[in-house]
Amino acid sequence: MGNLSKTEPLDGLRNHAYLEKQNKLREIGVDIPTSQIVVVGGQSSGKSSLLENLTGFSFPRGHGLCTRYATQITLRQSAVASVVISIIPRPDADDKTKDRLRAFRQELDDFAAEDLVDVIEEANMTMGIRPSESKDTTLPMFSDDILKVEISGPDKPHLTVIDVPGLFEVTKEGMSRFTTDLDKAQVRQMARRYMENERTIVLAVLSCISDPATEGILQLAKEADPDGVRTVGVLTKADLAREQTMMQGLAQLVNDGTLKLGYFIVRNRGGDEQDLDIGECQLKEKVLFKQPLWAELAKTGRLGVDALREELRILLTELAKRELPKQRAEVDQRLIDCRKKLEAMGAPRDDLPSQREYLIKLASQFESIVRDALDGRYEGNPVFHEKPELKLATEIIELNEGFSDLMWERGHTWEFLSKPSDSPKTADTSEYEEKSTTALDSVSALPELQQIVSCDTARLAPLEILETQIMDHIGEYYRNSRGPELGTFGGSLLAMTFRAQTSNWRTIVMAHVETVIVIVHRFIKALLRHVVVDQRMRDELWDSVLVEKLTKAYSRAKSQADSLLGIELNGRPSTYNRSFNDTLQQARLDRLTRAIRQAGDEIDDDGGNGHAGLASRLTNLVFNKSNPEQVKEDIHDILESYYKISCKRFVDVICRLVVESDLLERNGSPLKVLTPALISRMSDEQLDMIGGEEVATKRERKRLESDIKGLKAAKKVLRG
Ligand code: GDP
Ligand code: MG
């Protein structure tokens, strides 16, 4: 290993550690970008020669070998000199392949060309890429694995450089190495990927004697690094630049500032210097830059491979230092994500007991979140914070209150006399109506509910309280049902007027029940998405078990509402509520008060006939009223008292029996659709269909497990 005669000042151990971490991270094979230096350039621009000059390593020439993978050359300062060639597997390889690739390791005493050729051919075979002479297109032409050449020795600086397959390479014979356009595209893609990594320092190689304006590599580098903050230009073949004009061009390029990291100029082994020792070539470089022609440029300190190497070492160490905290954070985040995903997948479910166990776990989770959602216990589980639509108790309470208000405001057909027509509404129901309309409209996207929710929202259109006076209608009913009784009315008259007065109830009640059904349904779907993460499993569970149970439960709630409506509206008006009489007395008292006040107003208008006027008007009030009128007023008052009691009672009945019990709490309610008991009762076939794991799931689990393993190792490396 006498090839490398450079003696670098030993840099601090701390700095070594930063670079070492990046090397280790790359080897672990997790998908976290590492800080690195990558050499790119056009064909015959001198990349390989530059690498040799930088590191002492060169690919054996003229053996039909070409690199169809990235080669990482790592220089490492160590007491013992050695050259080790190994393979860093691509991050997305499976564990078996990774193990096989990692097993490849060859130690060399020297860069003796023959040995090296053998080792590289063996490495190619291990990676499974197509041998150069083979036409077997089933083998890939390129590999994302990395060939690693690790050169250690007491005189080696700490530095890692990655050589990416040439972008536009052609063999010496002028034959394209990459036979198809696809190959070309692939190799370009590989170079791009390396260059686009924000943690890559791009070493853009071009020759002094080329025209930078036409150098594709500068264009490519600009695309990957638009601000030119991580691209170092390297001009090779300094020995071929002899004329003054060329020197001026170089000086201009070096000073133009488009690349913030600037240019370096080097002289590598020439085409006719194959027999020279690399040390001799490096000596020639030193001699060249001492010549007067280079005196001006020498002042920049950017001539020669030593200056370049030192600069790269500093740049790379700084980059590695700067990026380390970000890499740590990335690893932590990736670990959290992977663990979350893996946890959501549950333990491997290869047999029925483990499938049952897994589904029971999910069902209990479902059950417990439902419990919390119903009790309004939102603090315990972060899911309520992430998905506010799961705060069911709150939503239902708001809906029930809105329903109660709407019934009170708009349930009746005619306004009672006790309520002046211009009196303001006591509650604003517009928010409830809007919520309900939106919910009912959303059913068009929920085909499974189309048989259940029939309320088209038009039916909820503003229920106009009829302008017609209530007394006219009572009068009409009274005339049509009048019997021979004097001063009284038949019981059916109250039932009839009550039915007419409640004609809006059915619409409002059914719309409410259906609204709650939609809200509950959406809650269940959202919760299932959260609990049963595997979509296939969720779909299977949904289609084969849940939908049917749910629609049954919804239908039951609806028929319950229907039968309650029947009892309330069509049955004989009846109440045992003691306040009925109080309310009735109150209504009568109100009527009298109203009449007296009116009489008083009229007297004032008369200009004051005094007590005599008041007395005569009061007499009018009581005695000069026809009997039917008296009866109608009685009917009105009784109807009003009964209506108020019935409305309050019925709102409670619907909210408690239908909403709270049928739709939320009771056994068999939609929210109890998924229980551990249900899973326990499932047949083996059903269980296997729902809980079994697909190949893709198994593969995903393996991948996650391997990622976690890698990330843990990466974490250790980055923290250590
Ligand atoms: P690559 O295709 O970019 O890897 O270029 P190579 O490193 O294979 O170089 C192409 C040819 O240019 C080879 O014959 C090298 O010996 C020659 N070459 C590279 N750098 C220099 C240099 O600085 N001076 C001279 N005279 N020849 C060079
Ligand atoms: Mg080359």
Side-chain angles (χ1 to χ4, degrees), residues 31-32 325-341 704 707-708 711-712 715 718-719:
D31 215 357
I32 302 285
K326 290 187 221 162
Q327 287 174 320
R328 281 180 181 149
E330 278 172 32
V331 168
D332 286 347
Q333 190 53 51
R334 287 273 316 275
L335 255 179
I336 291 171
D337 293 348
C338 286
R339 282 186 172 137
K340 237 189 205 162
K341 277 190 201 153
L704 284 170
D707 279 0
I708 289 173
L711 287 164
K712 272 166 134 176
K715 188 173 168 147
L718 294 179
R719 303 259 165 223

Side-chain angles (χ1 to χ4, degrees), residues 42-49 61 169 172 236-240 266-271 274:
Q43 147 220 337
S44 294
S45 56
K47 294 181 300 295
S48 305
S49 313
R61 294 159 220 247
E169 275 189 293
K172 287 246 163 61
T236 59
K237 311 193 187 180
D239 50 326
L240 302 183
V266 297
R267 179 228 193 274
N268 305 316
R269 183 198 295 277
Q274 298 309 320

